[in-house]
Amino acid sequence: MSTHREIKFVRSPAGLPTEDCFSVADVPTPEPGVGEVLVETHVLSIDPYMRRAMSGARPEYRLKHGATMIGRGAGIVVKSRHPDFKEGDAVQSEFGWRERVVLKGEGLRKLAPDLKPLSLSLGIVGQSGATAYVGLHDIAGMKSGDTVVVSAAAGAVGSAVGQIAGINNCCVIGIAGGPEKCRHVVDELGFNSCVDYMAGPIDKALAEAVGDGVDVYFDNVGGEILEAVLDQTKDGARVAICGQISHYNSDVKAGLRNVHLLLDRSIKIQGFRVGSDLERRDFALEQLLQWWRDGKLNFRETVSDGFDSAPAALINMLQGGNYGKQVVRVV
Amino acid sequence: MSTHREIKFVRSPAGLPTEDCFSVADVPTPEPGVGEVLVETHVLSIDPYMRRAMSGARPEYRLKHGATMIGRGAGIVVKSRHPDFKEGDAVQSEFGWRERVVLKGEGLRKLAPDLKPLSLSLGIVGQSGATAYVGLHDIAGMKSGDTVVVSAAAGAVGSAVGQIAGINNCCVIGIAGGPEKCRHVVDELGFNSCVDYMAGPIDKALAEAVGDGVDVYFDNVGGEILEAVLDQTKDGARVAICGQISHYNSDVKAGLRNVHLLLDRSIKIQGFRVGSDLERRDFALEQLLQWWRDGKLNFRETVSDGFDSAPAALINMLQGGNYGKQVVRVV
């Protein structure tokens, strides 16, 4: 009987996860039933929400001990009993951390044959890019000429936010950790400027960078940076909350101290998940694919090699060790 | 030369305002020019935003020492040089704390002759009612069947929020201070229930009152009550922030500690001013007038007698001494 490896979530982390939160298991590879496909995982997506699912998120999204670790993946169909998919098709879906996975057609996305490497379908031309697109357009109501600020600017979603906002003729200011990330964001991704939050309190540098104020803030981190950007908002600003990574490894909730600005400046703040409107997500993915084909999107990836490197890749990403999308190359 | 009285803002309050923050002055009554009217003030509106203007608000809305106190009023035209208004017309506008005021036509609203008492045009059939309407419909996207919570429920805006939400077949839970206000809100205004925040921490009572969660929160107070209601929100909840009265008399910003829920539950929070879309405000006023004529709106007012009682009326309102709209009867 053929087997493959899966990675289980076995222990809740206190703070930053450690490798012993996970264990690798050899399990029998199931046969696809009617209407199902067997997929070989080529690449796994590593994302901040995974840490949130390991504790603290809504109960229905919280991972149970012993469960296979969650996560999107891309791979190749190796056996199909589904009319819409054939052997050799490149596909993307929620795989979990599995080397091989049996999936139903529902939620399984066939990838454009020219989209290479497959990891792009998880990053800038995938869920990360779609998250950026939906957050900017649907949640924040981005308009041409807006001043847009994005945190974790060198990360998977942040790097997409800056480029999409740039395509829409916005002035884009990134916030990232360290001079090298800031250089990357400006020189390679085309942001107008970038503020290094590791260089000290960002208030002054941010105020200079944004000029007459922020129209849109795309928030990936929460905490003190959210507070600092709120201080710089214009009347009628919109804040799309996509991540709160500053909270994920800590139980301490510092509290947002300038909530009064919401009223003083008629600010809108909204948390969102890209999956809550699949039609808009798919529209975004089509647009991103077009931009990528037109050469309008730059990207860098942080690739970790080998299926069993997934826990280390997650820990690296949660410490800000990634540029662009953090992925695991399985095959 | 004819004179009238005006009340000036002369000193910034530390905490709750005191009467010596104001002074009464006799001033010459101006003559209306071409396109202007002279109005006799019959009633003045007393509102929480006034305290905010006395310190802490956006600089452009902040009152200067020596300026005439701001505020809406309703009264009767006593001399007109404007083609659209004639002597005896009842009108409403931003009067300031003046016994007589010269105004241009712009922003001057002629009142329906059957709208009596005139104070209604400042409260439930005026700015307070319109604020409730716009906040519920335009900001919070209220839908029939929603569970709607409103703080300062016995106040001018809160009492309108509950009734408008009730007209839209929502389940309405008020938050108010003391058993008598709670009784008023339920028995006279028709709220489904009311939680007394003076009876101790509201978490448990609120959880029981809202059942499976809050869809819409209309926030007049901010602070700990905002935090407590956020804890009870459903996925996709909307929060309209209209006031933050818990902050106005204090420099301490406690901080909102459950911001992470915005992401976990895809919550939208938005601060707003009813004046930012005058077309919608006027639409709301027409609808409110119709409902009032149909007998669908209940109201209670807290009336302070005499022009020079305005400072005391403001101090009373800021301490929660009012039921419904706090007004000053000048004539």
Side-chain angles (χ1 to χ4, degrees), chain A residues 34-37 82 85 93 102-108:
Chain A
V34 175
E36 293 181 334
V37 296
H82 190 292
F85 300 92
S93 187
V102 165
L103 294 163
K104 299 187 192 306
E106 205 175 305
L108 189 63

Side-chain angles (χ1 to χ4, degrees), chain A residues 106-144:
Chain A
E106 205 175 305
L108 189 63
R109 193 175 171 85
K110 204 186 292 189
L111 301 176
D114 60 333
L115 188 63
K116 296 276 167 61
L118 280 189
S119 52
L120 280 176
S121 74
L122 302 171
I124 189 93
V125 193
Q127 203 83 348
S128 308
T131 299
Y133 187 98
V134 167
L136 284 171
H137 282 281
D138 299 14
I139 306 299
M142 169 182 62
K143 295 187 301 287
S144 174

Side-chain angles (χ1 to χ4, degrees), chain A residues 130-209:
Chain A
T131 299
Y133 187 98
V134 167
L136 284 171
H137 282 281
D138 299 14
I139 306 299
M142 169 182 62
K143 295 187 301 287
S144 174
D146 275 351
T147 294
V148 175
V149 174
V150 57
S151 50
V157 172
S159 59
V161 166
Q163 296 185 75
I164 294 170
I167 288 169
N168 280 270
N169 302 310
C170 293
C171 174
V172 187
I173 294 111
I175 300 172
E180 176 48 28
K181 277 191 178 167
C182 283
R183 191 206 59 74
H184 165 65
V185 156
V186 172
D187 292 352
E188 292 168 42
L189 303 179
F191 285 46
N192 296 78
S193 61
C194 189
V195 173
D196 177 4
Y197 73 82
M198 286 180 175
I202 65 171
D203 306 73
K204 193 158 161 286
L206 189 65
E208 280 168 22

Side-chain angles (χ1 to χ4, degrees), chain B residues 38-112:
Chain B
L38 176 66
V39 179
E40 181 180 58
T41 303
H42 281 222
V43 57
L44 286 171
S45 178
I46 303 292
D47 300 282
Y49 74 86
M50 293 170 162
R51 174 63 185 85
R52 200 151 62 98
M54 293 166 77
S55 60
R58 297 158 51 109
E60 62 267 40
Y61 296 126
R62 200 174 299 150
L63 271 172
K64 291 192 176 43
H65 293 165
T68 301
M69 188 62 191
I70 52 171
R72 300 190 76 80
I76 302 293
V77 174
V78 291
K79 202 177 286 185
S80 177
R81 299 187 66 189
H82 189 292
D84 297 345
F85 300 92
K86 60 179 196 299
E87 258 180 59
D89 279 348
V91 293
Q92 192 253 63
S93 188
E94 175 66 35
F95 285 12
W97 286 7
R98 296 179 172 92
E99 287 181 306
R100 295 198 156 208
V101 56
V102 166
L103 295 163
K104 299 187 190 308
E106 204 174 309
L108 189 63
R109 194 178 170 83
K110 204 185 293 192
L111 300 175

Side-chain angles (χ1 to χ4, degrees), chain A residues 225-299:
Chain A
I225 292 181
L226 171 59
E227 201 168 272
V229 180
L230 275 183
D231 277 339
Q232 301 298 331
T233 45
K234 281 188 206 166
D235 201 28
R238 293 87 67 202
V239 178
I241 297 193
C242 170
Q244 300 265 282
I245 201 168
S246 71
H247 299 308
Y248 297 167
N249 292 310
S250 161
D251 289 332
V252 182
K253 306 280 181 262
L256 187 67
R257 285 165 298 184
N258 50 6
V259 178
H260 63 100
L261 294 179
L262 303 191
L263 181 59
D264 289 347
R265 301 182 186 166
S266 300
I267 296 169
K268 177 179 108 163
I269 302 194
Q270 186 166 4
F272 76 104
R273 287 187 292 275
V274 68
S276 60
D277 184 342
L278 294 178
E279 205 174 312
R280 285 294 291 170
R281 185 199 60 182
D282 290 350
F283 179 87
L285 289 173
E286 288 304 316
Q287 175 64 80
L288 289 157
L289 182 61
Q290 192 56 53
W291 280 332
W292 175 73
R293 284 177 175 149
D294 295 343
K296 289 186 178 170
L297 297 178
N298 292 317
F299 67 97

Side-chain angles (χ1 to χ4, degrees), chain A residues 37-75:
Chain A
V37 296
L38 176 66
V39 178
E40 182 181 57
T41 303
H42 282 221
V43 57
L44 287 170
S45 178
I46 302 292
D47 300 283
Y49 74 86
M50 291 170 164
R51 175 62 185 86
R52 199 151 63 101
M54 293 166 77
S55 60
R58 298 157 50 110
E60 62 268 40
Y61 296 125
R62 200 174 299 150
L63 271 172
K64 290 190 177 45
H65 293 165
T68 300
M69 187 63 192
I70 52 171
R72 300 189 77 80

